[in-house]
């Protein structure tokens, strides 16, 4: 889940673009099968208030969320994303692939 507000900086845009790239390049089959879903959520829109509240999101954030056997596990990737998506996109992409693969286990 990638959350963002109305105003977006270059890093916020890089997070979305690089995450989309990772999803399409490395997880296309899982997306097609419905095992991986990538959502971009604008928290400034009223219809997204509940999900933003659920994850306690008030600004751009990136979460990996796993649903298995009725249980939800989430991993907050926001700090990692802001630290790498813009200045070190290859580090970001590698880390995302690794983290998503771990969540799929």
């Amino acid at each position: 889940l990638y959350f963002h507000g109305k105003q977006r900086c270059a890093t916020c845009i890089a997070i979305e673009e690089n995450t989309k790239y990772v999803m399409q390049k490395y997880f296309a089959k899982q997306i097609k099968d419905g095992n991986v879903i990538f959502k971009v959520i604008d928290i400034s829109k009223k219809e997204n208030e509940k999900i933003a509240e659920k994850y306690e999101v008030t600004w751009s954030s990136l979460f990996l969320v796993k649903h298995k056997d009725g249980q939800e596990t989430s991993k907050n990737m926001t700090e990692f994303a802001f630290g790498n998506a813009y200045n070190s996109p290859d580090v970001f992409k590698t880390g995302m692939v690794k983290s998503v693969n771990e969540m799929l286990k």
Side-chain angles (χ1 to χ4, degrees), residues 1 54-55 64-74 103:
L1 303 174
K54 178 180 178 178
Y55 292 98
L64 297 180
V65 180
K66 177 179 184 175
H67 294 271
K68 186 172 182 178
D69 302 326
Q71 299 291 318
E72 180 179 289
T73 307
S74 66
M103 291 294 270

Side-chain angles (χ1 to χ4, degrees), residues 44-76:
S44 69
K45 293 186 177 180
K46 185 154 182 62
E47 65 263 23
N48 295 326
E49 283 179 3
K50 284 189 178 186
I51 193 163
E53 286 175 15
K54 178 180 178 178
Y55 292 98
E56 300 176 355
V57 170
T58 57
W59 64 305
S60 293
S61 302
L62 181 63
F63 283 81
L64 297 180
V65 180
K66 177 179 184 175
H67 294 271
K68 186 172 182 178
D69 302 326
Q71 299 291 318
E72 180 179 289
T73 307
S74 66
K75 181 175 182 178
N76 187 339

Side-chain angles (χ1 to χ4, degrees), residues 34-48:
N35 294 320
V36 171
I37 299 169
F38 174 56
K39 288 187 182 179
V40 177
I41 302 162
D42 183 343
I43 62 173
S44 69
K45 293 186 177 180
K46 185 154 182 62
E47 65 263 23
N48 295 326

Side-chain angles (χ1 to χ4, degrees), residues 14-23 25-27 62 77 80-81 84-86 88-101:
I15 293 169
E16 180 178 346
E17 289 175 352
N18 286 318
T19 303
K20 264 187 199 170
Y21 174 85
V22 167
M23 293 299 120
K25 179 164 180 160
Y26 298 98
F27 300 101
L62 181 63
M77 300 289 290
F80 171 78
N84 295 290
Y86 185 75
S88 305
D90 290 337
V91 172
F92 175 81
K93 291 171 187 172
T94 301
M96 282 298 293
V97 170
K98 181 178 182 232
S99 294
V100 172
N101 277 325

